[in-house]
Amino acid sequence: MFDVDRVVTAIGHARSTFSWVQRDYLLGRCRITAEQFLDICILAGCDWCPTFPALLDDVGFSFKSAVDMTHQYHSGLNAIQMLTDHPSVRATNYSDSFLRAYCIVRYHIVLHLDGSVGPLNPEFAPNDLHDIIGYRLPVAAYHLLARGAIHPPILNMLVNGSWLEFSPPDNGESREYHRLITQWEGGVYTQQCRLLCKHLGPFFAQRKVVLQTWFEPRTEVVLHDTKSVSQGVSLPAVGAAAVLNGDISVSSVMENSRILAAAPEGSSDSNPAAKLLTWVLQSLGFIVSSGEHTKLGSALNAGLQALQSQLQERPAELLQWAVVAAAVLIDQGLLTGEKWSVSYDDELSLITDAQQQKFIRIVARIATLTPPGARRGSWKFGYNRDLLAFSSAARLVQKAVGSSADTARLVGAITGSAALAPESTQLLQLQELRRTMPLECTTSNATGVLAYVLLVDYARNGAGCWARIQTAAEESLVDARQALRDAWGVAGAVRAIAKVHGNADKDIANAYSWAQTAFSEVL
């Protein structure tokens, strides 16, 4: 799409080799020009434009259909104009989305060597490019992005005016996953938009931002527009009050939330990083503005304390974010032992005890939340699409939580000093805050499958399950035993959360008790 001659598609580190695709070869095989290839990629769907509705039929999307359509109409824009009467096209303003995406690719914005930000090819860029790309963001936003202190998606949402939610690896066919997007994720991004737009100038204060999903492409959920009320939360200017000190973690902020909420700016109790993390937890519904815990916050606090007591001998910082995701999933009714509306697992049908089936689902889903262990050699345990579906929901939660953290960091920087020197105290604080709120602890389907195999073996064959699978487990993960120990620590935290919250509390407690014998062989 970005006019490069070759694209590396695979790297073989063991043999120091790599594979690539040559653009001219691809264009020749498809009998298309470089311009047509860009049109095809946009019609097929990308981060800036959904799939052209006329390409979505009952059979499903295929890339070949986009190529054939471009052959027939010679360009993507011609295809859109000729198919405006198509029922699914008529309901959307697709030509606007297509042209915006085209300009974003053709005249994409880069950070130049002199520190300025502008189009890669300014001599060809149109004068009204700001109508497509959006108005210039504060200098702090570009600086933090270049230094890796924030991630791009939160800025892309504001610049493009839309957050596009594509189908996850399992295809996202369940009603539960759709409900998580529409009823929970949309609310989280609404808060982020309102806070950011309040601090990004008059253009963004009027900016319309919508959420679009692959399962309802004709429906736009408005996250922010001219009628939106700006988020009335005051975030501290990072670097304006105090240098980072002490323990900045989810557990410490939850324990001291009332003190942090009441501390005046500049006081010894006012830690900018801790206050930004407080806002993240507040935006997720764990804390209210006074610092008091909500019911969900009390449940999270109980879970974090349980996690800490079980993992006293090793740091639990990353696992704390797994517990945050678990609390959200319990609150949304997704972390249970019940089948989802679309289920794929046939192996559990071999276990006749329905209660044990529930217990295995619960503990395996909890294990899926833990950060991934490093792979070793080939994977020995196959594939579990039910757990992949659950991990997609967990990743959705972690992505939204990470976006909240980026929002807090960005607003904290914007409201601070305008200049961010490479070694300034403010930038160093933000980079430290990125470490304390990493949120790169993605879910591990591998750990979930490993726990699933362990428990299925235990249900069918009794004690000795770890000894029977240990060799295959250690050939699959570098530290399979530690991965299961971490999963069991998170399971204890989830049990404590469910006890306070009330959702599926009996099933989770019973699952924990039942699985204890199997995990005792690993601990």
Side-chain angles (χ1 to χ4, degrees):
M1 291 174 69
F2 287 92
D3 200 26
V4 294
D5 294 330
R6 296 167 184 165
V7 175
V8 175
T9 57
I11 298 177
H13 295 286
R15 299 184 179 181
S16 299
T17 61
F18 63 91
S19 304
W20 75 92
V21 174
Q22 194 163 1
R23 186 184 63 167
D24 290 343
Y25 174 77
L26 181 63
L27 298 181
R29 286 295 301 271
C30 295
R31 296 179 291 110
I32 55 176
T33 65
E35 283 287 324
Q36 287 176 322
F37 180 70
L38 175 57
D39 289 356
I40 290 167
C41 291
I42 298 174
L43 290 174
C46 61
D47 286 348
W48 309 293
C49 184
T51 303
F52 186 39
L55 294 173
L56 300 172
D57 54 27
D58 295 336
V59 178
F61 168 78
S62 71
F63 194 81
K64 184 177 183 300
S65 61
V67 175
D68 293 342
M69 181 176 288
T70 306
H71 276 155
Q72 181 178 354
Y73 296 106
H74 305 295
S75 74
L77 186 59
N78 285 347
I80 295 168
Q81 292 174 336
M82 294 299 293
L83 295 171
T84 52
D85 292 332
H86 190 285
S88 57
V89 177
R90 193 186 310 122
T92 64
N93 187 19
Y94 191 84
S95 60
D96 183 65
S97 299
F98 177 89
L99 291 173
R100 284 178 179 274
Y102 180 89
C103 289
I104 288 171
V105 175
R106 183 61 69 195
Y107 312 111
H108 55 284
I109 303 300
V110 297
L111 182 66
H112 292 282
L113 294 177
D114 62 358
S116 63
V117 176
L120 178 64
N121 45 0
E123 63 275 18
F124 301 111
N127 293 329
D128 58 351
L129 185 61
H130 61 272
D131 287 335
I132 304 299
I133 303 297
Y135 279 78
R136 184 179 296 274
L137 294 166
V139 173
Y142 298 113
H143 198 150
L144 294 177
L145 190 63
R147 295 299 295 262
I150 60 172
H151 295 84
I154 188 66
L155 297 177
N156 287 340
M157 175 171 65
L158 297 177
V159 170
N160 298 332
S162 63
W163 182 279
L164 302 179
E165 198 61 66
F166 294 101
S167 61
D170 67 290
N171 289 337
E173 298 169 335
S174 67
R175 291 193 301 273
E176 290 82 359
Y177 189 82
H178 297 176
R179 188 175 69 245
L180 184 64
I181 293 174
T182 56
Q183 296 184 8
W184 182 81
E185 184 191 43
V188 173
Y189 287 133
T190 296
Q191 292 192 63
Q192 295 171 18
C193 284
R194 290 181 179 181
L195 181 62
L196 283 168
C197 290
K198 174 185 176 183
H199 292 91
L200 291 179
F203 171 77
F204 288 102
Q206 307 293 317
R207 183 69 157 152
K208 181 179 179 180
V209 184
V210 299
L211 169 67
Q212 290 181 283
T213 64
W214 84 98
F215 57 89
E216 289 184 351
R218 304 179 193 178
T219 302
E220 292 183 346
V221 178
V222 177
L223 303 177
H224 184 272
D225 60 12
T226 55
K227 300 177 183 178
S228 299
V229 178
S230 295
Q231 180 66 263
V233 177
S234 178
L235 289 183
V238 177
V243 177
L244 288 178
N245 56 81
D247 174 27
I248 309 301
S249 63
V250 181
S251 58
S252 65
V253 168
M254 289 297 296
E255 290 173 8
N256 300 288
S257 58
R258 296 174 184 83
I259 297 174
L260 289 167
E265 188 72 20
S267 70
S268 59
D269 291 325
S270 176
N271 186 305
K275 282 209 166 187
L276 295 187
L277 181 51
T278 299
W279 179 83
V280 172
L281 295 170
Q282 184 181 333
S283 71
L284 298 170
F286 295 110
I287 302 173
V288 297
S289 57
S290 63
E292 298 289 331
H293 293 174
T294 62
K295 180 181 178 181
L296 181 59
S298 297
L300 174 63
N301 198 41
L304 292 170
Q305 291 175 2
L307 178 72
Q308 204 64 45
S309 65
Q310 288 191 261
L311 300 174
Q312 291 178 351
E313 76 285 357
R314 65 190 300 267
E317 187 175 284
L318 288 179
L319 294 181
Q320 289 182 11
W321 290 107
V323 175
V324 171
V328 172
L329 292 167
I330 287 175
D331 187 55
Q332 296 299 310
L334 299 181
L335 185 43
T336 69
E338 303 298 332
K339 288 184 177 182
W340 282 11
S341 56
V342 178
S343 183
Y344 313 95
D345 192 3
D346 295 326
E347 189 173 352
L348 281 184
S349 61
L350 300 175
I351 298 173
T352 56
D353 189 324
Q355 283 295 100
Q356 289 186 1
Q357 292 181 13
K358 279 187 177 184
F359 297 160
I360 292 171
R361 286 193 197 99
I362 288 172
V363 178
R365 286 171 177 175
I366 292 171
T368 300
L369 297 172
T370 58
R375 290 284 185 89
R376 171 187 285 158
S378 58
W379 181 247
K380 307 293 184 181
F381 295 109
Y383 165 79
N384 189 305
R385 192 170 174 185
D386 269 349
L387 286 179
L388 184 62
F390 180 80
S391 69
S392 294
R395 285 189 179 96
L396 186 79
V397 170
Q398 290 175 330
K399 180 178 66 176
V401 174
S403 184
S404 289
D406 281 335
T407 298
R409 282 191 285 263
L410 179 56
V411 172
I414 292 172
T415 55
S417 58
L420 286 173
E423 301 303 326
S424 68
T425 300
Q426 184 180 1
L427 182 59
L428 293 175
Q429 287 181 345
L430 284 164
Q431 290 175 328
E432 173 66 9
L433 183 57
R434 171 76 181 273
R435 186 192 68 78
T436 58
M437 290 197 296
L439 298 161
E440 280 95 9
C441 47
T442 56
T443 62
S444 171
N445 207 42
T447 308
V449 172
L450 190 58
Y452 177 88
V453 171
L454 179 76
L455 295 175
V456 168
D457 187 286
Y458 173 64
R460 299 178 66 180
N461 303 309
C465 50
W466 172 246
R468 289 188 289 270
I469 73 165
Q470 182 176 4
T471 301
E474 292 178 347
E475 289 177 357
S476 298
L477 291 179
V478 170
D479 199 341
R481 186 185 290 269
Q482 188 59 59
L484 289 173
R485 287 172 176 169
D486 288 346
W488 190 245
V490 175
V494 170
R495 180 182 61 163
I497 292 171
K499 183 177 180 180
V500 175
H501 189 280
N503 266 7
D505 53 331
K506 292 182 180 178
D507 281 345
I508 290 175
N510 291 336
Y512 185 88
S513 299
W514 175 81
Q516 197 157 14
T517 301
F519 273 83
S520 64
E521 301 177 14
V522 184
L523 301 177

